[in-house]
């Protein structure tokens, strides 16, 4: 038997355990006595929040965790988004992290894959912010007749 884990939930909070959705009516602590796959509501990404490729990958991997019966069908969507993103030539550290997430998903450890993907939210946001700044600064791309610094 594996070690137990205690999860503290607030009233009306949901938790996803092995594909089931549970909602508690008051503050409670749940003790899981055996291995279970779970996702706290605070870590659930809503569809409208999946606005970047990394967040889309997280959302798809989350669906695999929440609904394990359809995980194989959903996996093809994950692969398509990942391949499209990798074709853009992202930073090598992101490529390595995506490989780690894929490895976790391949071995049935979707929760660990989500943890890796969530860790990429900030670097992706920072990269997008730099792009927006560069696009809003016409001088960032040089003047006509000069070399482009990018």
């Amino acid at each position: 038997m594996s070690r137990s884990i205690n999860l503290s939930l607030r009233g009306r909070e949901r938790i996803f355990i092995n594909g089931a959705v549970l909602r508690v009516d008051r503050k409670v602590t749940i003790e899981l006595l055996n291995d279970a796959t779970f996702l706290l509501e605070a870590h659930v990404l809503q569809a409208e929040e999946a606005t970047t490729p990394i967040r889309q990958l997280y959302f798809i991997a989350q669906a695999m965790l929440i609904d394990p019966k359809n995980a194989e069908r959903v996996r093809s969507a994950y692969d398509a988004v990942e391949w499209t993103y990798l074709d853009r030539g992202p930073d090598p550290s992101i490529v390595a992290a995506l490989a780690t997430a894929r490895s976790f998903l391949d071995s049935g450890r979707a929760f660990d894959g989500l943890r890796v993907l969530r860790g990429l939210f900030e670097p992706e946001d920072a990269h997008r912010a730099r792009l927006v700044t560069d696009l809003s600064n016409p001088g960032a791309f040089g003047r006509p007749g000069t070399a482009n610094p990018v």
Side-chain angles (χ1 to χ4, degrees):
M1 184 168 137
S2 65
R3 65 184 173 92
S4 66
I5 185 167
N6 290 319
L7 303 169
S8 295
L9 304 171
R10 297 181 307 271
R12 309 277 307 144
E13 189 172 6
R14 294 182 304 166
I15 184 169
F16 303 83
I17 302 176
N18 290 345
V21 182
L22 304 166
R23 178 175 298 205
V24 297
D25 63 351
R26 61 184 151 274
K27 185 176 177 182
V28 67
T29 299
I30 298 173
E31 183 178 10
L32 298 177
L33 299 173
N34 61 351
D35 287 333
T37 301
F38 68 91
L39 187 61
L40 297 171
E41 185 173 23
H43 293 143
V44 173
L45 188 72
Q46 300 302 317
E48 60 272 6
E49 297 172 310
T51 57
T52 66
I54 298 296
R55 282 177 168 76
Q56 290 168 2
L57 290 171
Y58 184 95
F59 183 78
I60 296 166
Q62 165 187 289
M64 294 166 58
L65 179 74
I66 291 173
D67 188 7
K69 289 183 212 170
N70 291 313
E72 280 305 312
R73 187 171 55 89
V74 173
R75 179 59 188 257
S76 61
Y78 184 95
D79 293 341
V81 171
E82 182 184 39
W83 293 333
T84 301
Y85 184 67
L86 290 174
D87 281 347
R88 296 182 189 170
D91 184 85
S93 64
I94 292 177
V95 172
L98 289 177
T100 300
R102 171 175 282 281
S103 175
F104 282 135
L105 292 173
D106 289 344
S107 63
R109 296 173 54 192
F111 183 79
D112 292 317
L114 288 175
R115 191 172 31 86
V116 171
L117 292 169
R118 186 171 281 282
L120 294 175
F121 285 4
E122 272 191 42
E124 184 183 43
D125 289 344
H127 176 71
R128 289 183 71 205
R130 280 192 306 276
L131 285 176
V132 168
T133 300
D134 289 347
L135 292 174
S136 65
N137 179 3
F141 296 103
R143 293 183 305 277
T146 62
N148 189 344
V150 178

